[in-house]
Amino acid sequence: MSQTTTVVTPPSLLNAAADPADQFRRTAPASAKDRAIKRRRVLDILDAKGQDSLLLTTHTALTWYLDGSRVHISLAGDPIAALLVDREGDHLVTFNNEAGRVAAEELPAGVSLHAVPWYGNLHEAAAAVGRSSGAAAVPLAEAAVATELRAARQQLLPGESARYANLSAELAGIMTDVLSDARPDTTEFELVSALAARVVAAGAEPLVLLCNGSSRSEFRHPLATHSPLGRRAMAVMCARRDGLVANITRWVRFDAGTPDELDAEARIAAVEADIFDATVPGARLDAIFGEIQAAYVRHGFGADQWEQHHQGGPAGYAGRDPRVTAAVTDTVVMGQPFTWNPSGPGVKIEDTVQLMESGLKVLTVDDRWPTTTVNGLQRPVTLQL
């Protein structure tokens, strides 16, 4: 078993306010008030399970519980930290080559930081660090309470709601800027490269970037190619900042559109409107999924269209938390974010929304993008250049 040592924040970092460069230094966005609520929620899970500690090991759980800390290096890799929540406190374990940066930029107040050699085992070290007097208790594994943790993070708290709204609005603005500059001879790679540059400049990580020009409109998950956009194109972007993932799809075209396209765009927006109507506090996700299936038939897409692509679901600290199917029985709560993404042949609609007292609030909004009113809500239409 790897030995861990507590990391002490260097005095130079404690006095960093005197450094002119401090204005550019990142600090963990965590709210002490929000973190206390999250800790109470996890302790409630431990109480219900009759356990004394829980080991958090996934990006989704770690970034939620730490309230926005970055725990990745490679976007394709495992977290570079693990966290033990026990009744005495919170213990974050990371590799020795990450510990200094984590202490300076990612560690919320009240979390004890420990280091393990870069070749050590994070999970073993984190499981052991909270043990006292040689107790042999094994912490509860995250996977054993996946459903309970998902419920604990359903309702966004004030600080994270504000961060999410800001990220979502910035992504919508980026889409407007980049797609407004597109031309028929712009390639798919050029378009997603421009999106990626803007996302990174905004301090976010581009998790998904998709684009299909008119020659590839049949693909619903279109990784970019060197193909030109042609007369019509779709762009999809999912980006993460402070742990939260916002999602958006937009369309652009360079002609007036065909009657069939215009009709399908209106009908897919009607499918989405029916999904929105079903997304109310107390609704079960499997019941909403049934409404999705019925909406495709109701609006002329056929009974099999829901099978051609996932339909989205709750959002927040994962792209979908989870993707909704007939087997997901979670209950919708106030303050919960969603990204539904109904699609049909050559059409798709997708925004990040949050359920508020006044109804669903669209977060991925840029007032410069053209919209139409669908069932009382402003929804995006294709940008015509």
Side-chain angles (χ1 to χ4, degrees):
M1 183 175 297
S2 302
Q3 295 296 312
T4 61
T5 56
T6 301
V7 174
V8 179
T9 304
S12 60
L13 293 176
L14 296 177
N15 298 323
D19 186 345
D22 187 56
Q23 62 179 311
F24 304 112
R25 188 183 302 278
R26 173 182 163 84
T27 57
S31 156
K33 182 178 180 181
D34 286 1
R35 281 214 66 248
I37 295 172
K38 293 179 180 184
R39 178 168 167 78
R40 182 66 261 167
R41 291 177 182 175
V42 170
L43 292 178
D44 287 345
I45 293 172
L46 291 177
D47 289 344
K49 295 293 183 179
Q51 299 287 323
D52 290 321
S53 62
L54 171 65
L55 183 62
L56 301 180
T57 57
T58 67
H59 286 288
T60 301
L62 287 164
T63 55
W64 167 73
Y65 189 75
L66 294 171
D67 205 31
S69 298
R70 297 178 298 183
V71 293
H72 73 278
I73 295 298
S74 167
L75 291 177
D78 294 330
I80 50 83
L83 189 142
L84 186 81
V85 182
D86 67 19
R87 298 189 182 279
E88 301 303 316
D90 299 326
H91 304 272
L92 185 67
V93 176
T94 189
F95 295 114
N96 63 319
N97 58 316
E98 308 290 353
R101 178 186 56 81
V102 169
E105 300 177 342
E106 307 296 342
L107 189 68
V111 178
S112 298
L113 182 64
H114 309 264
V116 64
W118 61 264
Y119 51 83
N121 187 304
L122 280 178
H123 296 182
E124 287 183 3
V129 76
R131 297 179 186 174
S132 60
S133 304
V138 176
L140 191 63
E142 180 184 324
V145 287
T147 301
E148 291 86 348
L149 284 171
R150 195 164 68 231
R153 60 180 178 261
Q154 280 181 300
Q155 183 181 58
L156 294 187
L157 297 169
E160 55 196 351
S161 290
R163 293 194 295 272
Y164 204 27
N166 288 339
L167 170 63
S168 297
E170 287 182 50
L171 291 191
I174 288 169
M175 274 289 201
T176 301
D177 291 342
V178 171
L179 291 184
S180 294
D181 288 339
R183 297 295 180 264
D185 60 352
T186 301
T187 69
E188 296 166 351
F189 273 135
E190 287 171 340
L191 190 85
V192 298
S193 295
L195 291 172
R198 290 289 302 275
V199 168
V200 173
E205 296 108 32
L207 302 184
V208 177
L209 290 170
L210 304 176
C211 181
N212 60 6
S214 54
S215 68
R216 303 175 65 240
S217 61
E218 74 271 24
F219 302 129
R220 303 200 195 194
H221 268 169
L223 294 173
T225 71
H226 290 291
S227 298
L229 300 184
R231 52 174 294 272
R232 180 173 180 261
M234 176 184 75
V236 179
M237 182 163 52
C238 307
R240 180 177 65 194
R241 189 169 67 196
D242 300 327
L244 291 158
V245 182
N247 316 283
I248 182 173
T249 293
R250 292 291 185 265
W251 290 81
V252 62
R253 65 169 158 248
F254 305 97
D255 59 20
T258 69
D260 284 347
E261 288 169 353
L262 299 175
D263 175 65
E265 289 169 4
R267 287 187 291 113
I268 203 66
V271 172
E272 182 196 55
D274 288 354
I275 302 172
F276 283 171
D277 282 347
T279 308
V280 296
R284 277 188 15 169
L285 293 181
D286 55 346
I288 296 177
F289 188 71
E291 288 298 317
I292 292 172
Q293 294 170 302
Y296 278 107
V297 176
R298 188 179 304 124
H299 298 290
F301 283 102
D304 67 334
Q305 278 305 306
W306 67 270
E307 298 185 62
Q308 308 308 312
H309 189 277
H310 78 83
Q311 302 302 307
Y317 287 91
R320 302 297 187 277
D321 196 17
R323 290 182 181 180
V324 170
T325 69
V328 179
T329 59
D330 300 15
T331 299
V332 173
V333 300
M334 192 65 66
Q336 187 173 11
F338 293 86
T339 301
W340 299 110
N341 49 260
S343 65
V347 289
K348 179 188 177 188
I349 190 166
E350 177 182 27
D351 271 308
T352 301
V353 303
Q354 188 174 9
L355 184 57
M356 313 296 278
E357 292 289 347
S358 57
L360 283 175
K361 177 183 179 181
V362 183
L363 303 182
T364 39
V365 167
D366 180 0
D367 291 339
R368 299 172 297 165
W369 192 272
T371 62
T372 188
T373 302
V374 181
N375 203 13
L377 199 63
Q378 293 299 302
R379 303 303 300 124
V381 296
T382 299
L383 177 64
Q384 189 168 320
L385 297 177

